[in-house]
Amino acid sequence: MLLEATGIIMQFGAFRAVNGANLTVTEGGITGLIGPNGAGKSTFFNCVAGDLVPTAGTIRFKGQDVTRATPEQHARLGMARTFQVPVTFEDMTVAENVMVGAFLRHGHRHAARRAADEILGFCGLDTLAGSRAGSLGTPGRKRLEIARALATEPQLLLLDEALAGLTPAEVRLAIDLVRKIQRRGITIVIVEHIMEVILSLTGHAVVFHQGQVIAEGPPRQVVDDPGVIAAYLGGSMKRVRTPTP
Amino acid sequence: MILLQVVVSGLLMGAVYALFSSGLTLIWGMMNVVNFAHGDFVMLAMYAAFYAFTLWHLGPAFFVPGAAALLFVLGVVVYLGLVRNVARGPMLAQILGTFGLALVLRYSAFWAFSANFVSLPENLVGGTIDISGIRIEASKLLGGAVALAITLGMHLVLTRTMLGSRVLAVAEDRNAAMLMGIRPDRMQALAWGVGAATTGIAGALIALFFYISPTVGESLSLIAFVVVCLGGFGSVPGALIAGLAIGVIQALSAYLIGAVYQDVLVYSLFLAVLWVRPQGLLGKL
Amino acid sequence: MNINRIATILGLLVIALWPLLVHDVFYQRVGALVLLAAISASAWNLIGGYGGQVSVGHVVYFGAGAYASLIVFTRWGWPPLAGAPIGVAVSLALAALVGTPTFRLRGHYFSMATIAAAELVRILASNWEVTGAAVGLMGPPVPRDIWDFSFTSPVPYHYLFLAVLLALLWLTWLMQRSRMGFYLAAIRGGDRAARSLGVPVLRYKLYALLLSAGFTSLAGTLYAVMVGFVDPESGLGILLSVKMVIIAALGGAGTLFGPLVGAVILVPLEEATNAIFGGGGTGITFIVYGAIILFVARFQPGGMAVIWRSLTARTQASRGKNRAA
């Protein structure tokens, strides 16, 4: 068991965004967190990532209690994350951005540079290595965020809507990258809206509604669950025809 | 008895601190920009009051609202000309922006009015009032009472009126406010105007019972920072309580250990608050 | 051989040979003062430019160094330079006091705390007999031996300050290329993102501040050694804080040579206006400084460095050299 979140409650004043949610992630898979807007999945995600301290509940990563751990400690322990709106370091080059991640594991500049170069090649960013991060478009920035997080050599990678705002062609490229990352041995948890992504990428889907998990299991099964459909009624759930492989 | 008098005196001065500090907390709460020139705004108001009287023989009934209006305009101008641009930039630009403004205002006053202290005549709001053995100067009593009233009024306007809730909405979440049809730019300009107007009133009131010099801005800015931090960023009621507290602490320390060290105590208190409880009494970080 | 390298070499050459190029003691002294200002501003640059945390009360570290040097002389007869370690130690303690609670908060808190700390120390120093109260302290009236570093000519000071400046810039250059430099750039680029990559934000901000405070203290000691006098105004006054910031910001905060460029522009300017208008008694100096700060903040926060880059980029492009964006 790589990650175990139990009984997570997140309360903001009078508003309870997450109301007793559980999540178990085993090594090697890709887990998808889905649900209509406001279902609490992003808040839950941020609790797991260390951005928020849950009001109640525990989170264990590799057996260690990380419920109150800071984001820096998360990274050091091997849990990395990307942000929904990319926060790349605009004034640094692409390579320098990735080096910041690499410096977590390599104290010296040359070692960090070598590690960063490997990641840049892996993510297909090597041609852009010397470009200013701010000059990249959205797909480039999202890819850079992922590369930067990978440079911290995580066992668990949390992707926060990493494929939102991309064209279908870009989505396919991103899916390829995520699969590559999984083959590298990294476990992935992804928050996503796009059905195509959930169905083709994830092995295990967890559906959030009103702060709780209402269904989980293989994505095709979950998607046909009447409870899940009822939760989405009135909201929008994009059903993009799945591409022929 | 003397101790009680010192405390009362401190409370009255504290009310004035609360007034201009609530202006600062409003500005800061609105848009995450700290006005390093806040104390110098107060200083300008003090001189405005002084010259309104010495040149045109206008009494406090005129120069207090007059200073408020003048500083309101200055606040809006500063927002439109400077703050709006630096707010979205790097921290260096933000802080240097109002810091540079503070220097320009302070030393322009220094150059224009000379370093000598001036003051309004003591009989302008004359006399001393005796309340069960405590002697208070009428000018101080007036100043404190007006300051208190306006601070409370500001709090009520912010929390009970439509306009106030619009201002608070922008402070809470600029983008959400825009989606609701509120114009953040206008609300922020208004906040700067009102924030500056509080310094106008405060300065004009202080001029009634205190000496006026170009460099008071520095220590008044620091007092405003302490009050805002102690009271809690963005909280007007917090600024009120903290202002009164600082006024009393300052008065007591001047009486017990000497006027020279009164500021030392306030600044040390500031650093202590940062260590122990930076969110202050009533605010969020 | 690109234009930056040429300009750097030429510039450093002129600075190194300056006392030999001019023979008037006045100009030689200006040269030494430029270097001293460059040291202070380059030290400020470590936290204000690279660290992105704007200290507007940095004079407190300068004063610690200056006062420590003259206190060890007046109290124990030591050569003023021997006070340097004490000044540094006091500065580090003050830096930790100011930085530790404020670096986990928004940037404004740190800036406000620096003013409060500086004013606090200034008032205390103005009233303590060990620091000479309002009168201040003086150094050795006649040099007793070589260790007093008391020279009649500005030339030895010029080279002493140059050595210290080069050491500081070399250290800054190393820092910039190391993990610390990358982490500070990441912190400037975004606290939240930096933390998610494992950057210990609070710790690195403190490192930058401690380094900065230590070198600023050294600058204060060097000042006391050369001038032989300090009082609350010259050693702890707000004018010095302002100068440090404006010299660094005008030249380009966060760049290696920005503070030096700023010093080369502003120090001779100040000396010239003092000579023409007879001292900064009327406060015009502050008005000008404030206006410069305002304009830099409002229109070009990157300072001369950005202007230089855009000028040279144009010449590079016009020569057909293409640089990847």
Side-chain angles (χ1 to χ4, degrees), chain C residues 8 22 34 36 38 70 75 82 91-92 101 137 200 227 230 252 270 288 306:
Chain C
T8 310
V22 300
V34 166
L36 190 62
L70 294 184
R75 292 252 130 186
S91 292
L92 294 182
L137 299 174
V227 170
V230 73
E270 184 183 359
V288 173
V306 173

Side-chain angles (χ1 to χ4, degrees), chain C residues 3-288:
Chain C
I3 190 160
N4 281 327
R5 207 161 288 178
I6 299 174
T8 310
I9 293 176
L10 265 174
L12 288 175
L13 219 68
V14 170
I15 288 171
L17 297 176
W18 180 259
L20 310 172
L21 295 170
V22 300
H23 294 290
D24 193 307
V25 174
F26 177 77
Y27 293 114
Q28 289 176 339
R29 188 184 156 87
V30 171
L33 290 175
V34 166
L35 290 175
L36 190 62
I39 296 173
S40 309
S42 299
W44 180 90
N45 198 20
L46 286 170
I47 184 64
Y50 291 101
Q53 312 301 308
V54 184
S55 168
V56 282
H58 228 60
V59 69
V60 75
Y61 311 118
F62 184 91
Y67 271 100
S69 310
L70 294 184
I71 288 175
V72 302
F73 169 71
T74 50
R75 292 252 130 186
W76 302 319
W78 293 3
L81 263 182
I86 300 177
V88 170
V90 171
S91 292
L92 294 182
L94 281 170
L97 186 75
V98 169
T100 314
T102 53
F103 280 152
R104 53 193 160 101
L105 310 168
R106 264 174 290 197
H108 316 110
Y109 288 93
F110 171 67
S111 302
M112 293 190 289
T114 60
I115 307 184
E119 271 303 282
L120 206 144
V121 171
R122 190 185 62 82
I123 298 175
L124 288 174
S126 306
N127 291 283
W128 194 27
E129 35 108 15
V130 171
T131 51
V135 177
L137 299 174
M138 287 190 67
V142 223
R144 302 163 298 170
D145 54 37
I146 188 77
W147 298 115
D148 275 349
F149 269 83
S150 201
F151 308 110
T152 42
S153 158
V155 179
Y157 293 117
H158 184 97
Y159 288 105
L160 174 63
F161 297 170
L162 183 61
V164 174
L165 178 65
L166 289 177
L168 175 57
L169 290 181
W170 180 66
L171 233 107
T172 306
W173 182 78
L174 284 178
M175 181 277 290
Q176 202 179 0
R177 295 162 52 88
S178 73
R179 171 157 64 181
M180 179 165 167
F182 275 81
Y183 275 4
L184 287 179
I187 293 170
R188 272 195 337 267
D191 250 45
R192 203 169 165 227
R195 297 182 74 196
S196 76
L197 296 167
V199 177
V201 171
L202 176 63
R203 219 197 304 160
Y204 275 85
K205 286 182 185 175
L206 265 174
Y207 289 162
L209 180 61
L210 291 173
L211 219 62
S212 173
F215 273 99
T216 309
S217 174
L218 213 59
T221 296
L222 292 173
Y223 169 84
V225 166
M226 174 163 124
V227 170
F229 169 73
V230 73
D231 70 356
E233 203 48 54
S234 59
L236 290 166
I238 190 178
L239 179 63
L240 273 167
S241 292
V242 171
K243 278 167 79 168
M244 275 188 247
V245 173
I246 189 184
I247 286 175
L250 180 67
T255 66
L256 190 61
F257 291 111
L260 178 57
V261 168
V264 166
I265 297 174
L266 285 174
V267 173
L269 203 70
E270 184 183 359
E271 293 296 309
T273 43
N274 279 347
I276 297 174
F277 297 112
T282 48
I284 292 198
T285 323
F286 272 110
I287 301 180
V288 173

Side-chain angles (χ1 to χ4, degrees), chain A residues 111-192:
Chain A
R113 179 73 211 227
R114 271 198 305 271
D117 282 340
E118 192 269 315
I119 300 280
L120 285 169
F122 179 83
C123 292
L125 285 169
D126 36 339
T127 49
L128 291 168
S131 310
R132 208 179 132 260
S135 66
L136 264 53
T138 305
R141 278 221 192 85
K142 290 199 171 233
R143 192 164 279 250
L144 178 55
E145 277 239 333
I146 294 175
R148 208 173 55 171
L150 281 180
T152 62
E153 294 172 26
Q155 281 96 59
L156 176 64
L157 179 62
L158 305 171
L159 298 173
D160 194 352
E161 297 202 31
L163 283 75
L166 302 179
T167 66
E170 288 163 352
V171 169
R172 262 163 236 147
L173 285 172
I175 289 178
D176 286 340
L177 177 61
V178 175
R179 288 221 183 91
K180 257 177 92 174
I181 295 172
Q182 185 196 18
R183 283 199 296 274
R184 198 172 159 107
I186 297 172
T187 312
I188 299 170
V189 173
I190 182 165
V191 171
E192 204 41 78

Side-chain angles (χ1 to χ4, degrees), chain B residues 66-225:
Chain B
L70 194 70
L71 268 297
F72 181 90
V73 170
L74 178 65
V76 173
V77 166
V78 168
Y79 170 77
L80 293 175
L82 172 71
V83 176
R84 189 165 48 168
N85 299 82
V86 297
R88 252 169 289 258
M91 183 64 77
L92 182 73
Q94 279 183 44
I95 293 181
L96 289 189
T98 54
F99 187 71
L101 178 67
L103 290 176
V104 170
L105 293 177
R106 198 177 301 167
Y107 291 95
S108 300
F110 192 88
W111 174 74
F113 307 135
S114 97
N116 300 324
F117 296 171
V118 294
S119 58
L120 288 168
E122 296 204 349
N123 52 24
L124 197 59
V125 178
T128 335
I129 301 179
D130 196 308
I131 302 182
S132 54
I134 303 174
R135 316 200 70 215
I136 313 168
E137 292 149 48
S139 52
K140 272 195 189 157
L141 189 62
L142 178 70
V146 171
L148 190 67
I150 297 188
T151 311
L152 285 172
M154 217 170 90
H155 176 61
L156 288 174
V157 166
L158 275 177
T159 50
R160 305 278 162 99
T161 66
M162 196 63 219
L163 180 65
S165 59
R166 286 210 197 101
V167 171
L168 289 177
V170 175
E172 184 75 40
D173 188 337
R174 196 171 182 276
N175 290 321
M178 271 200 287
L179 293 172
M180 289 198 280
I182 303 173
R183 279 190 262 186
D185 203 38
R186 276 206 192 163
M187 293 300 116
Q188 281 163 352
L190 182 65
W192 266 83
V194 169
T198 63
T199 66
I201 302 174
L205 291 173
I206 297 179
L208 292 174
F209 55 81
F210 214 61
Y211 61 84
I212 305 165
S213 93
T215 50
V216 289
E218 183 169 9
S219 49
L220 288 179
S221 288
L222 271 171
I223 287 182
F225 297 156

Side-chain angles (χ1 to χ4, degrees), chain A residues 12 16 23 35 45 71 83 108 138 153 174 185 203 210 217 233 236 242:
Chain A
F12 296 109
R16 191 169 274 213
L23 178 69
F45 181 91
F83 292 88
H108 290 289
T138 305
E153 294 172 26
Q210 292 180 340
L233 263 177
S236 68
T242 46

